[in-house]
Amino acid sequence: MTAQWLIVPILLPLLMAPLLLLCERWHPRWQAPLALLSTLAVAIVAAGLVRMADTGTVGVYLLGNWQPPFGIVLVLDRLSALLLLLTAVVALASQIAAAPLAARGPHFHAFFQVQLAGLNGAFLTGDLFNLFVFFEVLLIASYALLLHDAKGRALRAGLHYVVINLVGSALFLIAASLFYGVVGTLNFADLAARLPQLAPQDAGLAQAAALLLLVVFGIKAALLPLGFWLPGTYGAAPGPVAALFAIMTKVGLYGIIRTSTLLFGAGTTALTGWGADAVFALGVVTMGFGAISALSSQRMGKLIGSLVLVSSGTLIAASTLGEPALAGALYYMVHSTLAIALLFLLAHSIGLQRGATADRFGDGPAVTQPVLLGLLFVFAAAAVAGLPPLGGFIGKALMLSATINTSVMAWFWGAVIGSGVLGIMVLARAGSRVFWNVNGAATVAPPMAPSALGGIAVLVLASLLWTALAAAAARYTADTALQLVQPHLYVDAVMRTAPVPAPAKEH
Amino acid sequence: MTAWFVASAIGVLTACGVWLCLRARSFDVVLGLTLLTYAVNVFIFAMGRLAFNMPPIVRPGVPATLAHYADPLPQALVLTAIVISFAMTALVLTLAMKAYHVNGSDACDPPPTDKGAGTGAAPP
Amino acid sequence: MMLFALVLLPFAAALGCAMLPNSARNTVAWIAGLTTLAGCALLGMTGPLIFGGEILRAAVSWYPQVAFGFRMDGLAWTFAGIIYAIGALVVLYARYYLAAADPPARFFAFLLAFMGAMLGIVLADNLILLVVFWEATSLTSFLLIGYWNHRADARQGARMALAVTGAGGLCLLGGVIVLGHIVGSFSLDIVLAAGPRIRADPLYPVALVLTLLGAFAKSAQFPFHFWLPHAMAAPTPVSAYLHSATMVKAGVFLLARLYPALGDTDLWFFIVTGTGLITLTLGAGFAIFQQDLKGLLAYSTISHLGLITLLFGLDSPLAVVAGIFHILNHAAFKASLFMSVGIIDHETGSRDMRQLNGLWHFMPFTATLAMVAAGAMAGVPLLNGFLSKEMFFAETLQLTTHPVLEVMVPVVAAIAATLAVAYSVRFIHDVFFNGEPVGLTRTPHEPPRWLRIPVEVLVVVCLAVGIVPAVTIGPVLDVAARSVLGSEMPVYSLALWHGFNLPLLMSLLAMAGGVLLYFGLQKAVNLHTIVRMPMNGKVMFDRALEVLVRNGRRIVAWSPGASLPGGLAWIVVTAVAAMAWPLLRLGFGVPGVAVEPLGEIPVIIGALIWLFGVGAAIAATLCYRQRFLALLLIGATGLAVSLGFVLLSAPDLALTQLLVEIATIALIMVVLHFLPQTSPPEPGPWRKWRDAIVAVAAGVGITLVAHAVMTRPVASIAPFYLDRALPEGGGTNAVNVIIVDFRGFDTLGEIVVLGMAGLLVFALLWNFRIPPAAQPAEPGGPWNPLLVRSVTRLLLPLAAMVAIFLYLRGHNLPGGGFVAGLTLACALVALRIAGGGTAILDPRQLTYQTWVACGLLAAGLTGVGSMLLGYPFLTTSFLHPVLPVVGEVPIASAMFFDLGVFMTVVGAALLTTISPGLLPDGHIGEPAA
């Protein structure tokens, strides 16, 4: 019954949320520790699931004990496991750092747990409509976190974010039901099994549904022209929340990778014949736009938001270039997520120490802890810009070496190196404007709270680990990519799973 | 023929919804989203094909096929969708109202002044 | 192991320094000094092995193909020697150079970190590792140049240096990856051995160009030279160390290192020789016209680096020897020159040659040292510069590849040499003679003893090498060159005197010409009057960046980044395009058999409902500015939709839709109460029409798709549910069984969303007070029809009954927890809207939160129950008792689940609809401070 573990990353936070609500009414002091405990537990379970997935077997969990494809299934493969763990780590850091924020309004911890449950559900579910439901779960929670204690600009950014995602949800519903209407099922594995034998006259509609799904994920992953909203929104979010949102774009990326390899991969590379070239081109455009937008942004928050675009574009572009590139992209994804989350947390702490100037560029007062914040910033900047020896560098190296001699080598290399150069320049500029270009004495702002330090420490540690264990990590992502380009592994695992012998039902 | 009725209804609702969503004021956007929701719900429902007087409530002796019952699955999906969209509408509305009172305007976009530099528009 | 010590020692020391407070001046200096001395000692110990021709190796595995390891051969040993030896001198110098205000801990920490990175470059045993340390030097040099961060020029110089060298590093990474791809390994030994294979590979040009870009950027070769002069904003010890002796040599080191792998092709020859030639002359030319002493030295460095590059480009073994030789010599005399300039700066407070004159009288000793070093720079006999320059000339004359170049290269070399002499002469004459100092703040004097010692040491080296090269530098040069050239080691003689030959003549010509040129220039155009030179790289760099930023702003401003309608329009258009593309390519595909709707069709009713709904929707769109009216019309559309569901045999949907409809419209009414009642007119017609086009495209598209799907057959999984609903789901209402059982997990997520939405609405209004001005005139305004008020009183108890009824029968007939919950909620909401029930309906005591929480827990724990029995989450089990009135009721575990749904719905619906309604009578949450 090891499969029972698959439900835990969803169920634990999902039950913890209402529990925390009750705590909030009767024992407010227990909230924070309980919530932290739950996240920690999820992280540990996620680590266990990674080990489980790394055996190469695809874990399947039949909710309600119904035979697939009729019930909803949870599926755990290397990709899901990796994302579960990444989510848990980022969430842990963000939650620790968010301690002061949480106190500034009702229900924060409950929302946070629901957010966690939603993310985990999205990564685990093997059912198209259930994926929609979990998208809604993680979205409603993300609205709540984004709007927690929101002021003017943040409110407006929140409105944009909500409306954009509501339209995205509408499109998702259309795509999902269209799949049902044409193919007659909602289970990923079943879809993957049925799509190849689809009657030719249905091919057009099926592809339409597929590409619409791609658009939906594109909105989440901030692929241009669907992602213009991102820098503004992330820039306006409170630091710890923005850090957690670093994982949000990965949900879209996950969707793209999952569907493109499982539903339309048919053993070949991702998205073959499903507009891979178009997606690649858009990815490159996204990188370029992100870099430019970063160059021209006036606030640290917006700058990092733009860098999210760059990272997202890189990942999407690379994920369309076949298995080895996908492997590199997955390695890069983990580190760039950690690094961006770290940068968001740092920007938050820096902003707190610059008084009214906050995270705006241009000369402001000196921060109260220039040495500590400065060194951390150099670390984070190097991590984001892909400077050695950190994981970002390894990831870029992996992606570049995987794309040698491909038809698009020139484009991809140009984009990666170009955006890298711009990234270095932008971050150097930002750093020197914040730490060096100071006028007036340091503010009297208090030094970093232990919570902020704790959150940052988690991410720094994770990033160092991911770098130090590069060999094992890259091996894992390589296996992940290999597993992804063999969709039959997934399909067989799901379709061959039988329900637990039914309990005696007296009539 | 009947299919055209339903399909065209979906189309009109979608068009109206989209157009309203592209308005500049938050309330109009909410109205647009409501229409869009109707359209999407009907669309999901339609994906189960159409049937008259054949609700998916199992009657003894009637073979359990789609020849004798409407497709229950899309109906279940629509139920879920309806509930979620209700929740979201409530949220957007409240958000729109708060934004209106905090920012002093119910325009979705910031006035051109605090674009770019993005000085945190302090509540009036 | 010793190799690890060599590289990691400085890093450790850097960490140590970083820990120490800035007050510990001497401690940090001692740490740094001892580190360098220890390094020298280690090198000394390895000396015998190296000179024995061995190659030391040490590695620990870090990443497949990238063993984290080091490798020391002659070349590496020599460079490590430079790094540590000059490092030691620089540390000593810096200790006395830094002002009291400068934080020493930071300085030495960065310096040591750089030292470690630099050693990493020369000792790395694989190319990836080399790139790693390469970028590390860029980063540390950035920090060191920006050390005096209060100065704008320092900040800019640092940024520029990082941008150029960092970018070069990325190119180098690319080149290295291509190399690794060709060879199949990044290990230096393997790559160096695979020269022929690399040169034969079609990717060779890519690898070569990318690698050279990296090297040239680092070694300030044209056109990347411009960052170096601006790096002079760094403290002088940094300039002496990074920007003359070590870091800028990394590029030429790379040329030497990879010469066996990449060299010896036409492409190499043309690119490297060409770049070297241009840089050599340009650098020397610009140097003459500098006013800042460090500027002069910077351009001279550029020129000398060009010379070295040129030598490696010449592709002859002897040229390689000469190149390495000149690297050593240049390190010695240029470092000493920088230090002397530092002393002058330190003692006079100026580096401007227009102010500095006749310093001979004030600091004769320093002057002598500087003059000797300058002589070496100019290539005066008896000094080390002379020897390598001789070899250089000889090599340019040996050139036999291309007839034109055979003439050109030597001539240009001679001209460059002349220019070099000229700026050296200017350095000497302008600073130490040529009248009296102009407007100095203080009267110069000799520096403190310790500040001068490093210079003295280096100058002695220059002399020793210059006079007796064979004994001093000979063996080192030999072992270094041998490790590059291996078997094809040429025979050469290191001696002062090779008899009268062409190179000697060139030297003498250059010498004479240079002196004449300088004094000629001083006569013709007083050099002091020249303010700025043509073609300033920095200006171009800044302009390029400026253009980039400006256009970037434009692009970002043009993009709908900040606009919601803009972003939405893009999304809709993309979605339409994405669906249209395959459908246009493959068509909708006409199915063999068209599916007709089941059952006999009441067309008339259908048409009426259609007209009702569609008409209302269009009307609402047309009069959307009258918000209340539009709202009512949209309500009508919703009604039509639920009627449609009734018609299309979906009773559950109809019921739910209707109730949700009521709740939604009620909610919107409440909120509209606090919003403007009308929308402002459209700014202009064109946007209306643009949106209309988008909207119609979307509408037409979805119409076609929907119709195409409805009229084709599909083998769906649906029959399963109809089949199992009663026997295994325990209910006849297939829809409800799906909701609570087959797909109960969806429902769980759904109620979570609903519950959270309720909480979020509450949280949004927490501590939020509507400005009294904005509050409506009379509470319960026009939106409060009399009808509702009167009806609701009766409605409430009735609704409760209905709710229970619906809940219980849900599993078999239309109904269920959700509908039941909504019924109750609607009644309560209606009551609230009617202005009653404020007492019982106050979310301020988190009552509804509790409802939501308990509901979610009930639903969730029901599912967990089955897990305890060893079945998956949400597995149902049930029995069928018969109750009066309601009839047979399946008490399935699903019922408890449904109970959870019921509670959550009630709680959430009330939270969402009533929280806003409370606003007029005050705010939610704690009293605002």
Side-chain angles (χ1 to χ4, degrees), chain C residues 584-897:
Chain C
L584 294 180
R585 257 187 328 138
L586 307 173
F588 286 89
V590 184
V593 285
V595 172
E596 278 309 312
L598 300 169
E600 61 292 338
I601 309 153
V603 180
I604 312 305
I605 306 172
L608 285 177
I609 296 174
W610 188 90
L611 281 174
F612 184 49
V614 166
I618 295 175
T621 312
L622 292 180
C623 67
Y624 78 97
R625 289 186 48 211
Q626 303 307 322
R627 293 182 169 178
F628 188 71
L629 183 56
L631 177 58
L632 290 183
L633 286 164
I634 285 178
T637 313
L639 194 61
V641 171
S642 40
L643 288 179
F645 284 145
V646 175
L647 193 65
L648 295 168
S649 50
D652 279 283
L653 292 195
L655 203 53
T656 318
Q657 173 71 38
L658 191 65
L659 288 164
V660 169
E661 195 53 39
I662 295 168
T664 312
I665 299 299
L667 174 62
I668 303 185
M669 277 183 174
V670 174
V671 173
L672 179 55
H673 190 50
F674 306 110
L675 283 172
Q677 297 301 309
T678 62
S679 294
E682 291 288 322
W686 71 274
R687 177 165 160 197
K688 243 193 225 171
W689 291 112
R690 182 201 71 183
D691 296 349
I693 293 166
V694 175
V696 168
V700 172
I702 196 153
T703 306
L704 295 176
V705 170
H707 181 266
V709 175
M710 278 188 278
T711 51
R712 73 185 55 212
V714 63
S716 93
I717 55 174
F720 176 89
Y721 302 110
L722 295 165
D723 192 26
R724 310 295 182 85
L726 190 52
E728 293 182 30
T732 52
N733 180 355
V735 174
N736 187 277
V737 175
I738 293 177
I739 289 279
V740 298
D741 193 343
F742 292 106
R743 297 188 67 92
F745 201 48
D746 279 347
T747 311
L748 184 61
E750 162 201 328
I751 59 175
V752 168
V753 172
L754 187 60
M756 290 305 129
L759 298 181
L760 177 50
V761 168
F762 176 80
L764 275 173
L765 301 173
W766 178 264
N767 281 352
F768 167 64
R769 200 185 271 283
I770 290 186
Q775 282 194 15
E778 88 286 11
W783 51 270
N784 181 357
L786 193 65
L787 176 70
V788 187
R789 181 173 292 155
S790 48
V791 169
T792 42
R793 294 281 187 285
L794 316 167
L795 198 66
L796 191 54
L798 190 68
M801 300 279 301
V802 175
I804 297 165
F805 179 68
L806 284 171
Y807 165 73
L808 286 176
R809 66 169 229 162
H811 221 46
N812 291 329
L813 293 162
F818 181 77
V819 175
L822 264 187
T823 318
L824 191 57
C826 284
L828 291 168
V829 171
L831 182 64
R832 179 68 191 81
I833 294 180
T838 12
I840 52 164
L841 301 178
D842 186 346
R844 267 170 278 191
Q845 328 41 33
L846 307 161
T847 331
Y848 302 133
Q849 283 83 338
T850 316
W851 275 72
V852 172
C854 294
L856 292 179
L857 279 176
L861 292 177
T862 313
V864 177
S866 59
M867 294 173 78
L868 302 179
L869 303 175
Y871 293 97
F873 184 63
L874 283 178
T875 310
T876 48
S877 48
F878 51 82
L879 36 91
H880 290 258
V882 177
L883 300 184
V885 186
V886 194
E888 187 204 25
V889 177
I891 302 295
S893 59
M895 295 291 285
F896 296 102
F897 183 80

Side-chain angles (χ1 to χ4, degrees), chain C residues 427-514:
Chain C
F427 178 85
I428 296 170
H429 174 259
D430 225 354
V431 176
F432 299 111
F433 308 103
N434 195 17
E436 289 300 310
V438 185
L440 284 186
T441 48
R442 55 188 113 130
T443 47
H445 53 78
E446 287 288 352
R449 179 102 203 72
W450 292 105
L451 198 54
R452 215 167 50 204
I453 288 196
V455 190
E456 291 161 352
V457 174
L458 286 167
V459 168
V460 170
V461 171
C462 292
L463 281 163
V465 171
I467 298 164
V468 281
V471 286
T472 49
I473 199 73
V476 178
L477 181 55
D478 181 73
V479 70
R482 196 174 294 282
S483 64
V484 177
L485 298 167
S487 56
E488 51 188 294
M489 189 68 187
V491 287
Y492 62 92
S493 77
L494 278 178
L496 197 46
W497 183 250
H498 294 113
F500 269 110
N501 54 13
L502 212 45
L504 183 61
L505 184 63
M506 289 168 78
S507 296
L508 297 176
L509 278 176
M511 217 78 69

Side-chain angles (χ1 to χ4, degrees), chain A residues 341-353:
Chain A
L342 174 60
L343 211 47
F344 269 122
L345 286 187
L346 268 176
H348 185 61
S349 300
I350 292 170
L352 287 180
Q353 292 194 3

Side-chain angles (χ1 to χ4, degrees), chain B residues 8-70:
Chain B
S8 57
I10 297 171
V12 173
L13 293 183
T14 311
C16 295
V18 168
W19 192 80
L20 282 176
C21 279
L22 295 177
R23 295 306 93 206
R25 301 289 164 157
S26 51
F27 187 83
D28 311 338
V29 176
V30 174
L31 294 185
L33 288 170
T34 317
L35 279 180
L36 208 53
T37 312
Y38 295 154
V40 171
N41 290 344
V42 180
F43 182 86
I44 303 172
F45 176 75
M47 290 301 102
R49 313 298 187 265
L50 303 178
F52 296 95
N53 306 326
M54 296 187 177
I57 294 170
V58 183
R59 298 180 296 278
V62 182
T65 66
L66 289 181
H68 304 82
Y69 296 104

